[in-house]
């Protein structure tokens, strides 16, 4: 028998872009023209999507659960805010600074989450983020505390596009960064490194037995995820020219986890679609009544855990298989 | 000839209980070595100690003359010491080809490569496919691991280890739970492995052990009872008492 | 001294609320982040009975505990038990969902404000000793806490149910093998834990406050009690809760700049250094 008999293309072409993906990325372009009055909300969606992508990298691929991912988002937000406040207002420089800052924090704290059960990891990440929250809360000279960080002055993107009142620059800037970061993440998850992360998630006990240094891989994944979150935080700072203390709040971490589970973990697009659905629902339902929204959000979460653990992506996958088998 | 794998007074204590006791073992290059002993004798524990899955309470492990006692599991794998597990440890949601490609990639040192997609690493995929062909797994190459019958999964357990190109392969009851005809096929595959792979096998089926092994070590209560060629072991009264007698009864 | 006293009283409340969480975690390996919602339910029941229906305090408090216990049984039977085998992440998500529902429900019926509470006359006032002012209600809380802790300890070590509980916490699989109905033990324990939480919530309105954010505000405190005390360990929970109460009150008083920061840091260090908790993991100890 020779391997020539086997058609290798399913694996060879696994990373090729599909038509549905091209279509998906036309959505942000369409949204710009369809909802020109909601650009602020649309920018928020793009930023949250990037933040969610960062959690998907560490949870959906590396399998590290976290209840404190907002810590890195917040670090990035403050880093970019402080840089701009003290004269380093170039947006891309701010993103880089935020990424480095969050990555450093991610690297250092990654050693705390290497070992232990899911529960320990949940509690440790929660504890670390609460510590940072308290620090930001108390270092008022530096962060402005509960009043938030004022005086964030952002220069034009690439020296050409200044942030306008309508939020057009903010929107295109956020979407462009989201796309670039998504594209990098997409390369990463389809690479041998990404495959090894999936291996760790699916059977962490086997990986050392095929020669993979599990801890080093987890440290790398966690650091990358933190950097992504930092960039998302910096985007929020730059597009709103303000940092409020709740960038680090527990509720942001919990909400993010929920968005990712709603969309479906471990597929990148789940993070994006989950964010879109969540933010849109939030926008419309909390207009009616904020408590109403929170109640149904909780109910949805309970139902997802009980009945639809694979989220929206899982449903889409099921539908597409059914469509394929019936045709 | 220096032994390819050697232990010196290897012990493992769980609380007050010795799961491995003072085991000194020496295995020649190219050996076909069986490790036998009743349930709970400490066979799996010994493999865990050899591979670094467990840290010994005392004693040393040498691989090709090098002291590897303090090395992590993956570092020993890089030096050619590879195992399979008594209970499958597979990547349930990957296809068979993906799983084996993963293992090949790790061996080729591609585990940190993050830019080019797996699909572009043609050499790794071809090698994985070739291995699947030898193990007669080509027909399920694109199936999800979890969807396969147990016998096939057991074969993947071995494929993952072979993809790491072992110099010493430790097989922990490879045919456990596999139907008889499939288990024969599985052993044919193992028997056909080239001589430059040293094999240490744990197996309960005595027919298989005596057909395959050229040397046999007997473990009882964590300690090495005796070691010899199969003909001698078969006649050893102590071995018959502690092991064969029990096996015949059971 | 007064501060230590206040801290002990707060610690007793934390103990009452957290002990159920600790035992469910030790017993079924179930992470019920929504545990604080049962305390909140107890609190609101008590407030409602006192202010709207004029029920006397000493009746309202046990009624609040009973309501929380009943809610515990119903939820355990209908929802929680479906998730025993689920991952911790799923359990956490599920209980966050319950928290959201509880918070918005409380908000809907009672508004966002703190619930006022009027203590009965005999629990008001202070005892003034030289160098020590002791609030009578604080004294009452400590007394109730000690009595209940002793009662729990006695139940666990001297009753048949306690023996089953110990066996089930130490090794659920072996306990099943011995013919112990672990599911029933768990339902009862869950009810008891929810009831104690409800009691703590009711007694705690005066010290911890009561508003719809309650289950989230104190989540970390409950988790710290479990992390430090060791899951499933009653005496450990008590010690951990008392320590936490004293540190928290003293920290806010003497070191307001770093107070909460230190507490979170202690939790993280604990989890890394001694994942079984300071006092180990066993209901028997
Ligand atoms: N992690 C562990 N903790 C405590 N005891 C263990 C552990 N691993 C194995 N043992 C005990 O060590 C003994 C040897 O087990 P094992 O090596 O699996 O035996 P074998 O593979 O020969 O059947 C058994 O009594 C088992 O219960
Ligand atoms: Mg074994």
């Amino acid at each position: 028998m020779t391997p020539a008999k086997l058609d290798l293309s399913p694996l060879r072409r696994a990373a090729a872009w599909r038509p549905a993906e091209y279509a998906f990325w036309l959505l942000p372009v369409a949204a710009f023209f369809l909802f020109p009055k909601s650009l602020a909300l649309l920018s928020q969606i793009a930023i949250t999507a990037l933040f969610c992508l960062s959690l998907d990298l560490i949870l959906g691929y590396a399998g590290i659960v976290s209840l404190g991912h907002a810590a890195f988002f917040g670090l990035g937000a403050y880093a970019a805010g402080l840089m701009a406040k003290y004269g380093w207002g170039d947006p891309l420089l701010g993103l880089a600074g935020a990424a480095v800052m969050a990555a450093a924090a991610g690297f250092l704290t990654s050693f705390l989450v290497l070992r232990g059960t899911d529960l320990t990891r949940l509690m440790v990440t929660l504890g670390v983020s609460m510590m940072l929250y308290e620090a930001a809360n108390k270092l008022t000279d530096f962060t402005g505390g509960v009043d938030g960080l004022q005086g964030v002055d952002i220069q034009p993107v690439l020296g050409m596009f200044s942030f306008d009142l309508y939020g057009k620059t903010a929107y295109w800037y956020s979407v462009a960064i989201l796309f670039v970061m998504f594209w990098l993440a997409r390369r990463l998850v389809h690479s041998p490194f990404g495959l090894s992360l999936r291996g760790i998630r699916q059977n962490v006990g086997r990986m050392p037995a095929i020669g993979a240094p599990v801890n080093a891989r987890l440290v790398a994944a966690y650091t990358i995820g933190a950097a992504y979150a930092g960039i998302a935080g910096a985007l929020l700072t730059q597009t709103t020219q303000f940092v409020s203390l709740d960038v680090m709040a527990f509720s942001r971490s919990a909400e993010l986890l929920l968005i990712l589970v709603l969309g479906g973990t471990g597929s990148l697009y789940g993070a994006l679609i989950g964010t879109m659905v969540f933010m849109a629902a939030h926008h419309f339902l909390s207009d009616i009544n904020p408590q109403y929204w929170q109640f149904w959000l909780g109910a949805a979460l309970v139902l997802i855990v009980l009945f639809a653990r694979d989220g929206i992506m899982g449903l889409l996958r099921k539908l597409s298989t059914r469509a394929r088998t019936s045709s | 000839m220096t032994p390819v794998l050697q232990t010196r007074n290897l012990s493992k204590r769980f609380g007050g209980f010795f799961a491995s006791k003072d085991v000194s073992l020496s295995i020649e290059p190219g050996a076909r070595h069986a490790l036998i002993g009743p349930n709970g004798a400490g066979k799996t524990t010994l493999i865990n100690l050899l591979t670094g899955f467990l840290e010994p309470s005392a004693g040393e492990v040498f691989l090709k003359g090098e002291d590897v006692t303090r090395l992590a599991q993956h570092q020993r794998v890089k030096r050619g010491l590879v195992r399979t597990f008594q209970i499958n440890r597979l990547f349930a949601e990957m296809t068979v080809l993906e799983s084996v490609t993963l293992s090949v990639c790790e061996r080729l040192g591609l585990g940190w490569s993050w830019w080019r997609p797996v699909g572009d690493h043609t050499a790794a995929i071809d090698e994985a496919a070739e291995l699947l062909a030898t193990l007669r797994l080509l027909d399920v190459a694109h199936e999800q691991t979890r969807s396969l019958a147990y016998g096939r999964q057991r074969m993947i357990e071995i494929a993952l280890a072979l993809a790491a190109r072992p110099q010493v392969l430790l097989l922990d009851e490879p045919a456990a739970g596999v139907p008889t005809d499939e288990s024969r096929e599985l052993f044919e595959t193992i028997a056909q492995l080239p001589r430059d792979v040293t094999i240490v096998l744990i197996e309960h089926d005595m027919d298989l052990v005596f057909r395959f092994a050229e040397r046999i070590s007997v473990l009882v209560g964590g300690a090495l009872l005796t070691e010899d060629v199969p003909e001698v072991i078969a006649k050893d009264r102590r071995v018959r008492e502690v092991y064969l007698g029990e096996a015949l009864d059971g | 001294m007064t501060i230590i006293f206040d801290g002990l009283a707060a610690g007793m409340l934390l103990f009452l609320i957290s002990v159920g969480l600790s035992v469910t975690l030790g017993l079924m390996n179930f992470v019920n982040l929504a545990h604080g919602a049962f305390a909140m339910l107890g609190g609101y029941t008590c407030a409602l009975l006192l202010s709207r229906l004029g029920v006397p305090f000493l009746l309202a408090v046990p009624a609040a505990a009973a309501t929380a216990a009943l809610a515990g049984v119903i939820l355990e039977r209908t929802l929680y038990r479906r998730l025993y085998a689920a991952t911790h992440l799923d359990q956490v998500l599920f209980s966050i969902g319950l928290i959201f529902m509880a918070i918005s429900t409380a908000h809907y019926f009672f508004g966002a404000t703190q619930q006022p509470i009027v203590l009965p006359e005999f629990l008001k006032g202070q005892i003034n000793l030289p160098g020590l002012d002791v609030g009578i209600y604080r004294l009452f809380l400590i007394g109730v806490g000690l009595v209940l802790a002793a009662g729990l300890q006695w139940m666990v070590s001297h009753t048949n149910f306690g023996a089953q509980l110990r066996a089930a916490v130490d090794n659920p699989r072996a306990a099943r093998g011995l013919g112990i109905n672990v599911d029933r033990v768990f339902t009862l324990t869950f009810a008891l834990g929810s009831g104690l939480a409800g009691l703590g919530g009711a007694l705690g309105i005066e010290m911890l406050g009561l508003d719809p954010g309650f289950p989230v505000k104190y989540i970390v405190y409950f988790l710290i009690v479990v992390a430090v005390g060791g899951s499933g360990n009653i005496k450990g929970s008590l010690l951990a809760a008392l320590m936490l109460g004293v540190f928290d009150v003293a920290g806010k008083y003497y070191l307001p700049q770093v107070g909460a920061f230190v507490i979170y840091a202690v939790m993280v260090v604990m989890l890394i250094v001694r994942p079984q908790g300071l006092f180990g993991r066993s209901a028997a100890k």
Side-chain angles (χ1 to χ4, degrees):
Chain A
M1 255 199 262
T2 59
K5 277 191 187 165
L6 181 66
D7 176 18
L8 294 173
S9 58
L11 185 52
R12 286 260 168 80
R13 301 218 198 96
W17 281 73
R18 280 157 235 284
E21 295 185 79
Y22 290 114
F24 178 89
W25 284 100
L26 288 177
L27 288 179
V29 180
F32 178 79
F33 295 105
L34 289 176
F35 311 106
K37 295 216 173 64
S38 312
L39 290 184
L41 173 68
L42 293 174
S43 305
Q44 294 279 334
I45 294 181
I47 293 167
T48 310
L50 178 57
F51 186 29
C52 198
L53 205 58
S54 77
L55 184 65
D56 199 18
L57 284 176
I58 69 157
L59 173 60
Y61 287 89
I64 304 173
V65 294
S66 167
L67 253 185
H69 205 49
F72 305 118
F73 185 84
L75 274 175
Y78 277 112
L82 287 167
M83 281 173 74
K85 186 172 174 179
Y86 294 107
W88 301 55
D90 181 71
L92 293 181
L93 188 66
L95 291 188
V100 169
M101 182 79 188
F107 176 77
L108 291 176
T109 52
S110 68
F111 296 94
L112 303 177
V113 298
L114 282 183
R115 236 163 280 221
T117 60
D118 278 0
L119 179 61
T120 326
R121 286 171 162 178
L122 285 165
M123 286 168 71
V124 167
T125 50
L126 173 65
V128 167
S129 74
M130 299 293 270
M131 280 161 70
L132 282 173
Y133 179 87
E134 278 305 317
N137 184 16
K138 292 288 155 62
L139 295 174
T140 43
D141 291 348
F142 212 43
T143 62
V146 280
D147 297 332
L149 184 69
Q150 315 269 356
V152 176
D153 189 19
I154 306 291
Q155 290 157 13
V157 180
L158 299 172
M160 288 188 282
F161 309 98
S162 51
F163 286 92
D164 55 300
L165 272 179
Y166 308 102
K168 284 186 189 166
T169 305
Y171 178 68
W172 286 118
Y173 175 55
S174 307
V175 168
I177 298 296
L178 170 65
F179 180 75
V180 170
M181 297 310 289
F182 171 84
W183 180 69
L184 289 174
R186 196 180 177 286
R187 290 212 73 111
L188 187 144
V189 302
H190 284 109
S191 71
F193 176 69
L195 186 61
S196 82
L197 293 184
R198 279 169 60 205
I200 289 173
R201 184 186 174 182
Q202 290 179 29
N203 199 334
V204 66
R206 184 60 191 243
M207 291 301 283
I210 60 171
V214 170
N215 284 355
R217 295 277 157 79
L218 288 177
V219 167
Y222 199 71
T223 306
I224 294 170
Y228 264 69
I231 292 174
L235 275 181
L236 182 67
T237 300
Q238 293 175 346
T239 54
T240 58
Q241 320 238 331
F242 177 72
V243 188
S244 90
L245 186 55
D246 74 21
V247 288
M248 287 198 173
F250 166 72
S251 56
R252 189 179 289 268
S253 300
E255 199 174 270
L256 186 73
L257 201 50
L258 197 164
I259 296 175
L260 181 57
V261 170
L262 172 72
T265 55
S267 67
L268 296 188
Y269 281 100
L272 305 185
I273 292 174
T275 309
M276 284 162 32
V277 172
F278 178 91
M279 300 280 282
H282 182 131
H283 182 70
F284 293 116
L285 288 180
S286 63
D287 263 4
I288 306 173
N289 177 339
Q291 266 65 60
Y292 190 75
W293 153 248
Q294 195 181 31
F295 183 86
W296 289 110
L297 180 60
L301 195 50
V302 168
L303 291 177
I304 287 174
V305 172
L306 287 176
F307 302 112
R309 194 48 191 81
D310 296 327
I312 298 173
M313 282 307 280
L315 290 178
L316 290 179
R317 231 173 279 136
K318 238 178 257 169
L319 285 179
S320 82
T321 355
R322 197 167 303 164
R324 226 178 300 141
T325 44
S326 67
S327 69
Chain B
M1 221 176 342
T2 42
V4 62
L5 184 63
Q6 196 178 16
T7 70
R8 198 184 289 156
N9 306 107
L10 206 56
S11 295
K12 180 68 191 179
R13 215 176 49 222
F14 292 114
F17 167 80
F18 279 90
S20 263
K21 200 156 52 187
D22 231 10
V23 177
S24 298
L25 197 69
S26 182
I27 292 173
E28 300 300 318
R32 296 288 180 266
H33 199 112
L35 206 55
I36 66 171
N39 264 324
K43 305 181 295 292
T44 300
T45 303
L46 184 57
I47 289 203
N48 287 340
L49 294 173
L50 292 172
T51 52
F53 191 85
L54 285 175
E55 245 184 69
S57 312
E60 290 102 47
V61 181
F62 298 89
L63 184 63
K64 293 176 280 179
E66 180 196 8
D67 185 350
V68 296
T69 319
R70 302 276 155 250
L71 290 188
Q73 286 181 75
H74 68 269
Q75 292 168 316
R76 301 186 202 197
V77 173
K78 289 266 174 282
R79 285 164 174 72
L81 180 62
V82 185
R83 71 176 294 181
T84 65
F85 291 86
Q86 182 173 354
I87 296 165
N88 281 344
R89 293 191 176 216
L90 304 174
F91 306 107
E93 279 150 47
M94 290 186 197
T95 67
V96 176
L97 183 61
E98 270 177 325
S99 308
V100 177
T101 305
L102 167 61
S103 187
V104 172
C105 281
E106 291 296 342
R107 195 197 83 244
L108 295 174
L110 292 171
W112 289 106
S113 126
W114 70 276
W115 182 248
R116 284 166 59 204
V118 172
D120 287 1
H121 292 280
T122 344
I125 297 183
D126 288 347
E127 186 185 326
E130 221 162 291
L131 183 58
L132 291 185
T134 355
L135 298 181
R136 274 169 276 201
L137 285 168
L138 270 190
D139 56 320
V140 291
H142 296 302
E143 307 276 328
Q144 258 200 348
T145 303
R146 65 139 55 104
S147 70
L148 301 182
Y150 188 78
R152 293 328 261 312
Q153 292 193 356
R154 212 62 197 134
M155 215 54 172
I156 300 170
E157 178 71 32
I158 294 172
L160 290 179
L162 289 178
R165 290 253 175 102
Q167 293 165 32
V168 182
L169 178 61
L170 311 172
L171 297 164
D172 194 350
E173 302 195 26
V178 179
T180 332
D181 46 337
E182 283 180 57
S183 115
R184 194 171 310 129
E185 187 182 333
L186 197 146
F187 267 93
E188 273 164 30
T189 314
I190 295 173
Q192 281 163 14
L193 288 173
R195 269 289 161 168
D196 51 8
V197 182
T198 307
I199 299 177
V200 177
L201 169 80
I202 297 178
E203 176 53 53
H204 274 303
D205 185 329
M206 282 307 125
D207 287 341
L208 288 172
V209 168
F210 283 108
R211 212 177 316 147
F212 171 80
E214 291 157 3
R215 279 193 89 75
I216 298 178
S217 296
V218 186
L219 273 178
V220 177
L224 208 52
L225 179 71
T226 178
E227 185 201 310
D228 219 316
V229 293
E231 297 75 44
V232 180
I233 294 289
K235 287 185 200 121
D236 189 310
R237 200 173 43 81
R238 294 168 305 168
V239 175
R240 295 192 75 91
E241 265 167 29
V242 297
Y243 189 77
L244 296 180
E246 187 193 76
L248 293 177
D249 293 345
Chain C
M1 266 323 270
T2 313
I3 287 165
I4 293 189
F5 219 80
D6 279 5
L8 288 178
M12 281 300 176
L13 291 170
L14 285 178
F15 166 70
L16 288 181
I17 299 177
S18 316
V19 68
L21 177 63
S22 173
V23 174
T24 42
L25 190 59
L27 184 61
M28 296 303 256
N29 199 15
F30 193 100
V31 192
N32 182 18
L33 286 191
H35 194 72
F38 293 100
M40 180 170 77
L41 176 64
Y44 277 115
T45 310
C46 179
L48 199 64
L49 290 175
L50 286 175
S51 63
R52 305 260 168 92
L53 304 176
V55 177
F57 185 77
L58 290 183
L59 267 182
V61 169
T67 310
L70 185 65
V73 171
I74 293 172
L75 284 176
E76 197 275 334
R77 291 263 138 171
T78 52
L79 292 179
Y80 278 98
R81 66 175 34 196
R82 294 162 180 266
L83 288 168
Y84 290 160
T87 61
H88 281 155
L89 177 64
D90 279 2
Q91 296 170 351
V92 161
L93 289 167
F94 169 80
S95 46
I96 289 180
L98 287 186
I99 290 182
F100 282 172
M101 291 165 80
I103 289 179
S104 50
T105 308
H107 212 286
Y108 181 80
F109 285 109
F110 302 100
T113 50
Q114 288 285 339
Q115 291 295 307
I117 179 138
V118 184
L119 294 173
E121 282 305 320
F122 64 92
L123 288 174
K124 282 182 183 165
Q126 289 190 333
I127 301 174
N128 298 311
L129 300 172
L132 177 66
D133 297 334
V134 181
I136 293 183
Y137 190 62
R138 305 283 190 274
L139 207 58
F140 172 73
L141 286 181
I142 295 175
V144 171
L146 282 178
V147 168
L148 283 172
L152 276 180
Q153 192 62 44
W154 178 84
M155 188 197 75
V156 167
S157 49
H158 285 90
T159 64
N160 191 21
F161 174 70
Q164 295 188 350
L165 176 61
R166 266 181 292 145
V169 170
D170 285 344
N171 191 341
R173 212 177 296 161
R176 274 208 180 85
L178 290 173
I180 293 176
N181 186 342
V182 175
D183 287 349
R184 204 181 116 254
V185 171
F186 189 64
T187 306
L188 288 175
T189 313
F190 198 92
L192 188 65
S194 313
L196 286 171
L199 184 71
L203 291 174
I205 302 176
E206 196 259 356
M207 273 201 94
L208 305 176
L210 180 63
D211 64 60
F214 185 91
V216 170
K217 192 157 50 174
Y218 290 103
I219 254 182
V220 183
Y221 284 71
F222 307 147
L223 289 176
I224 292 174
V225 171
V226 177
V228 176
S231 59
N233 183 337
I234 292 174
K235 211 185 278 172
S237 298
L238 178 63
L239 291 175
L242 292 180
M243 272 160 44
L244 180 60
V246 173
F247 279 139
D248 190 39
V249 173
K252 280 188 181 130
Y253 189 82
Y254 292 113
L255 295 168
Q257 294 84 12
V258 294
F261 185 85
V262 171
I263 286 178
Y264 301 135
V266 167
M267 172 171 97
V268 171
V269 171
M270 247 345 269
L271 286 165
I272 303 297
V273 181
R274 286 209 56 152
Q276 328 79 5
L278 212 48
F279 309 103
R281 179 188 170 277
S282 170
K285 287 180 202 135

